[in-house]
Structure formats: C-alpha cells, structure tokens
C-alpha cells in the first residue's frame, strides 16, 4: 500500500470521482466495522473528528468509552474495485481515539504498534507471511450461507474439480488492484477449501492486509453466488481452516534465526524465541483460537496441532522451523485460525518470542512433547488469565474485558456443531 500525503488523498478523491468513503476499524475482538461519509466530509474525517457511539461497539461500553473517534491512517487509502465505478467507494483503516485525542490503549491496532515499537528499540524487526485458508460454500434460495458444496476437489486440484477457480481468480485480481502482491493461491485439502498467500510484510501492514483480505474475499464470493467463511471448523467431516503465520526475524538487519555452525542450523536466539512461544502458547491460544468452534478444529486426524512442541518436519507441531536457501530460516506458527484478531496475534507472537530471548529461555528438544494444547475455549481463557506476561502485553483492562465477553460465549457451548454456532459464526467469520 502506497504512502500518501493528505493533499494527495484529497486530489485522488476528486480525480477518481470518489463519492463515499468508508472509515473502517476493528473492535477489540478483531471484527471489522465501519461508518461511511461523503467526499464533502473528508477534511473533517482526516482530522479525526468523525465519532461513533462507543457504547454500541463490542467491549467499548465495558471499557468506559461512550464516544470513540476514528483517525484514518492515510496509508491505508484504497478504492474498492467491486463497488460502482461512477461515484466510487474508497476506504481507510482507522485508529481509535478518545475524546481528548489520545490513542485508546485497548485498541488492537495500538497494542500491536506498542509491541513493535519496543521491538524496534531493541534492534529487532519481523517479516510475516500469512497463509489464509477459507471455504467457499453455496448459499440457499434466499442468499443465506450454508455449509453445502457439490465439489469433490482436494489439494492442488484444478478445474473442473476445483469449482471455485473462477471466484478465486477474481479475488486475486481484485486484491492486486488494491495493492496486494499475491505470491500464490490453490485449492486446499477439503472440498471447497482454498488458500491464498501474499508477500511478506511487517507489523501493522500485515494485520491490515489480513482484515482487508477477509472482507474482499467475502465480497467477491458473494458476486459469484457463494459464501466465503473463515470459520475454523464449519463441518465436522472436513479439515478446518488455519491462519498460519510464517515469521522471519531480524536483528540489526540480519536473519536472527540462522546459524549454519550450530545444531540444526539454528541460532541461540532462535531457540530462545521458540522457547518463549512455547512458554506462552496456552495463553496465546485464547487469542489465536478465540471462539468455541476453534477447538473443534484442534483435534487429531485433521492436520491440526493438539500437543505442545516444536519440530523441524512434523506438520502436527504448532511451531515448525523452515529452512530455505541462503540462510533464509523462519518459524511457522500453525496454531491460529481464521477467527483470530490479526493485530493481537502478531503482537503476542512477537512479544512472547522476544520474552524468550530476553529471559534466555531454553526449549525442549525438537519433537519432545510438553503436554496437550488447550482443548476448549475455557481452558485457553484460564491460561490467558494466569499468564501475567501476556496480560501486560495487552493491558489488564483489555484482558479483563476480553475474558468477561469470551466467558459468556463459552457458556453457550455444546459438544457438537450446533445451529447456534452455524448461525453465529458463518455470518461473522
């Protein structure tokens, strides 16, 4: 996404015949929301003077914010290609501010910025490459989402087995028009399941891309008469959808995970980074796997992690070390799913890994198990509550509100995928 000056934004809005601008943001749970303003309100909007009712936004009432002001990040400006080409629609992603113009400390975008700033001060930076999986299901006669598909395709299959090929093509072309650099896309293991991988980026930009990707994919799917869902486990008979993160770490510009002379070709910082992730993994699961349905994905037999360990080659490990050419070593975190809040996901993985380095933690040997991962949302919420380090990363107020709201969700739990789950999660994710 390009870097803009304010005057350039105003000029583009006029030259491109943009009539409506969506001011988008994510709530504390990572759900994207927006208000729309006309082009005539743009100067007011860019000054951060557009306000929404905080008491109507999930979590904000509990945190005490009755008014929330939206401050557009001008570098996220993009025209939405699928909207009308006369009287176009554009969007910004926004930071959340209070009435005094201060960043709201519990905003996921602000939490991530705070973590990355601290990492930079210590000489660290990270490139992240997400692997986004999703399903394309049929809709019913009224256009409502279902979990039906007539497709029989599997991993890397092509048309006509891959019946989502045309929709996926349009998604890629639309994303490229919005400034994405797409590295690859393909059909995944399950019928109607797909994956799109885009080029590595850093920090907030990666999280912005993930939320933009989700909304774009769903919009284009709808134009094809399909429903795109990132729900972790929409069907019990099929594998679930993950949001794996490939993490490349650098210290003073050099890959900090590689050491060709050391055991397994890994540096001491790599081992400590892995140890930090393992140490906080159970608490991080409350963010990486944030809904009841998440834990129906994390079951044996469906290529999903269930135990706490790291590996060089075991696909069931939540942490895998991947070694490429010319010392290009990175860590793949396979635990997260498509319901996760990407801002907090990245904040926690960076902070936890660096905590391992700072504390000089030493992990167990590769493939040595340290127990089971949380098997329910309740277990992961308990682990987060007990993890003082993670509470400090997000802030006590954020964690308290998050735990309260997610505990209410847990109370609706039943063992099987229920009508309540499908109705709630298919629409939201």
């Amino acid at each position: 996404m390009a870097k803009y000056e304010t005057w350039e934004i105003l000029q583009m809005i006029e030259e491109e015949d943009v009539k409506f601008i969506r001011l988008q943001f994510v709530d504390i749970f990572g759900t994207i929301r927006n208000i729309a303003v006309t082009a005539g309100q743009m100067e007011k909007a860019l000054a951060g003077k557009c306000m929404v009712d905080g008491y109507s936004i999930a979590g904000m009432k509990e945190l005490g914010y009755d008014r929330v002001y939206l401050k557009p990040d001008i570098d996220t400006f993009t025209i939405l290609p699928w909207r009308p080409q006369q009287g176009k629609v554009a969007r910004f992603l926004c930071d959340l501010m209070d009435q005094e113009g201060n960043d709201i400390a519990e905003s996921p975008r602000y939490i991530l910025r705070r973590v990355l700033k601290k990492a930079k001060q210590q000489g660290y930076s990270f490139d992240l490459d997400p692997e986004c999986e999703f399903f394309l299901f049929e809709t019913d006669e009224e256009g409502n989402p279902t979990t039906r598909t007539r497709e029989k395709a599997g991993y890397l299959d092509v048309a006509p087995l891959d019946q989502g090929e045309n929709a996926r093509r349009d998604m890629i072309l639309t994303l490229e028009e919005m400034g994405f650099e797409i590295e690859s896309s393909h059909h995944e293991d399950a019928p109607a399941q797909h994956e799109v991988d885009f080029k590595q980026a850093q920090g907030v930009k990666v999280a912005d891309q993930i939320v933009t990707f989700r909304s774009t994919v769903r919009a284009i799917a709808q134009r094809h008469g399909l429903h795109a869902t990132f729900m972790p486990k929409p069907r019990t008979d099929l594998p679930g959808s993950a949001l794996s993160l490939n993490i490349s770490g650098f210290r003073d510009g050099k890959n900090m995970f590689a050491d060709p002379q050391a055991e397994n070709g890994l540096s001491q910082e790599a081992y400590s980074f892995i140890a930090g992730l393992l140490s906080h993994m159970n608490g991080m699961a409350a963010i990486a796997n944030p809904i009841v349905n998440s834990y129906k994905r994390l079951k044996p037999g469906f290529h999903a992690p269930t135990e706490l360990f790291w590996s060089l080659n075991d696909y069931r490990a939540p942490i895998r070390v991947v070694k490429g050419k010319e010392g290009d070593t990175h860590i793949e975190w396979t635990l997260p799913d498509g319901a996760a809040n990407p801002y907090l996901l990245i904040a926690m993985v960076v902070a936890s890994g660096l905590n391992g380095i700072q504390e000089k933690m030493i992990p167990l040997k590769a493939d040595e198990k340290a127990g089971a991962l949380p098997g329910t949302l309740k277990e992961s919420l308990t682990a987060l509550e007990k993890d003082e380090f993670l509470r400090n990363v997000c802030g006590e107020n954020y964690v308290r509100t998050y735990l309260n709201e997610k505990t209410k969700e847990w109370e609706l739990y039943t063992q099987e995928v229920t009508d309540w789950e499908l109705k709630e999660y298919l629409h939201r994710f």
Side-chain angles (χ1 to χ4, degrees):
M1 297 180 185
K3 300 288 185 180
Y4 297 117
E5 299 289 341
T6 300
W7 67 267
E8 292 178 297
I9 296 292
L10 297 173
Q11 182 176 325
M12 280 191 290
I13 287 174
E14 182 177 357
E15 291 178 351
E16 294 287 341
D17 189 33
V18 174
K19 298 300 184 184
F20 289 91
I21 299 93
R22 293 181 180 178
L23 304 181
Q24 298 182 339
F25 63 98
V26 296
D27 62 25
I28 70 169
F29 304 105
T31 302
I32 192 166
R33 305 186 183 279
N34 74 196
I35 62 170
V37 299
T38 62
Q41 299 297 309
M42 205 62 253
E43 291 192 23
K44 173 184 175 182
L46 290 173
K49 295 182 179 179
C50 289
M51 182 267 295
V52 295
D53 179 10
Y55 276 13
S56 298
I57 302 171
M60 286 298 170
K61 178 180 180 180
E62 291 74 15
L63 290 167
Y65 296 104
D66 60 340
R67 295 181 180 180
V68 176
Y69 288 82
L70 307 180
K71 177 64 175 175
D73 181 341
I74 62 173
D75 291 336
T76 65
F77 176 82
T78 187
I79 294 172
L80 304 181
W82 64 89
R83 301 294 292 151
Q85 293 306 293
Q86 290 184 332
K88 295 178 182 177
V89 179
R91 79 91 209 257
F92 292 98
L93 289 170
C94 300
D95 291 307
L96 304 183
M97 319 294 287
D98 63 19
Q99 295 182 60
E100 284 72 43
N102 301 312
D103 285 293
I104 289 179
E106 296 82 11
S107 163
R109 214 164 182 261
Y110 178 74
I111 291 171
L112 176 55
R113 276 211 179 97
R114 189 172 61 216
V115 168
L116 295 176
K117 180 180 179 181
K118 183 176 180 180
K120 184 177 180 181
Q121 290 171 344
Q122 297 170 351
Y124 295 102
S125 64
F126 297 89
D127 286 350
L128 297 113
D129 175 12
E131 299 177 13
C132 302
E133 297 176 350
F134 58 96
F135 281 91
L136 291 176
F137 288 128
E138 298 171 8
T139 55
D140 65 19
E141 294 77 9
E142 298 179 348
N144 295 314
T146 73
T147 57
R148 297 196 307 263
T149 180
R150 285 167 284 186
E151 194 190 83
K152 303 298 182 184
Y155 187 62
L156 302 185
D157 273 339
V158 298
L161 285 175
D162 178 3
Q163 296 178 8
E165 186 177 75
N166 288 336
R168 199 170 66 239
R169 170 187 174 275
D170 286 353
M171 292 167 187
I172 302 306
L173 294 176
T174 301
L175 289 163
E176 289 185 333
E177 195 172 343
M178 296 172 70
F180 280 71
E181 186 172 345
I182 304 299
E183 291 195 328
S184 66
S185 65
H186 61 268
H187 198 284
E188 260 295 343
D189 288 341
Q193 189 181 38
H194 305 265
E195 178 178 315
V196 176
D197 305 329
F198 32 95
K199 188 178 179 180
Q200 284 184 332
Q202 292 192 348
V204 174
K205 181 178 179 179
V206 181
D208 288 346
Q209 286 182 328
I210 292 172
V211 296
T212 301
F213 174 82
R214 289 172 177 169
S215 60
T216 302
V217 163
R218 296 185 75 170
I220 302 304
Q222 188 176 46
R223 294 170 72 92
H224 284 261
L226 300 168
H227 177 73
T229 180
F230 297 85
M231 182 177 171
K233 187 76 169 179
R235 283 177 45 167
T236 56
D237 60 329
L238 298 177
S241 292
L243 172 60
S244 297
L245 279 182
N246 296 287
I247 308 152
S248 298
F250 303 90
R251 183 168 189 176
D252 301 324
K254 297 181 180 180
N255 188 303
M256 69 188 211
F257 294 148
D259 184 350
Q261 310 305 318
E263 183 182 4
N264 296 319
L266 297 177
S267 68
Q268 185 55 55
E269 285 185 317
Y271 283 112
S272 292
F273 192 93
I274 291 168
L277 298 186
L278 292 172
S279 175
H280 299 292
M281 185 74 70
N282 289 350
M284 288 197 292
I287 301 297
N289 313 105
I291 61 177
V292 172
N293 183 258
S294 295
Y295 298 86
K296 292 167 184 176
R297 166 183 162 252
L298 303 178
K299 301 294 183 185
F302 285 103
H303 295 188
T306 58
E307 295 181 282
L308 187 60
F309 70 106
W310 72 278
S311 181
L312 295 166
N313 47 35
D314 191 335
Y315 68 85
R316 297 168 299 178
I319 301 172
R320 285 188 290 174
V321 175
V322 181
K323 290 188 279 188
K325 297 179 180 179
E326 300 177 357
D328 181 22
T329 300
H330 69 267
I331 291 170
E332 182 181 12
W333 188 29
T334 65
L335 184 65
D337 62 48
N341 180 335
Y343 299 95
L344 292 185
L345 204 60
I346 297 170
M348 284 196 164
V349 77
V350 169
S352 297
L354 291 182
N355 179 241
I357 291 175
Q358 290 156 5
E359 298 296 327
K360 295 182 170 55
M361 296 182 187
I362 300 174
L364 297 173
K365 292 185 180 297
D367 301 310
E368 188 175 344
K369 310 287 194 302
L373 290 166
T376 65
L377 178 61
K378 179 64 174 177
E379 290 178 15
S380 67
L381 293 175
T382 300
L384 175 59
E385 186 176 21
K386 292 179 178 179
D387 194 319
E388 182 179 359
F389 175 79
L390 293 181
R391 295 203 313 271
N392 288 334
V393 169
C394 295
E396 293 286 356
N397 287 341
Y398 177 92
V399 172
R400 181 175 61 253
T401 302
Y402 186 86
L403 291 174
N404 287 341
E405 293 301 309
K406 286 297 176 179
T407 298
K408 294 177 186 176
E409 183 175 325
W410 164 255
E411 291 170 354
L412 296 172
Y413 171 83
T414 55
Q415 187 62 38
E416 300 299 326
V417 176
T418 63
D419 290 341
W420 171 79
E421 269 189 288
L422 290 177
K423 181 179 178 181
E424 178 75 5
Y425 292 147
L426 271 179
H427 283 86
R428 284 176 55 196
F429 303 107

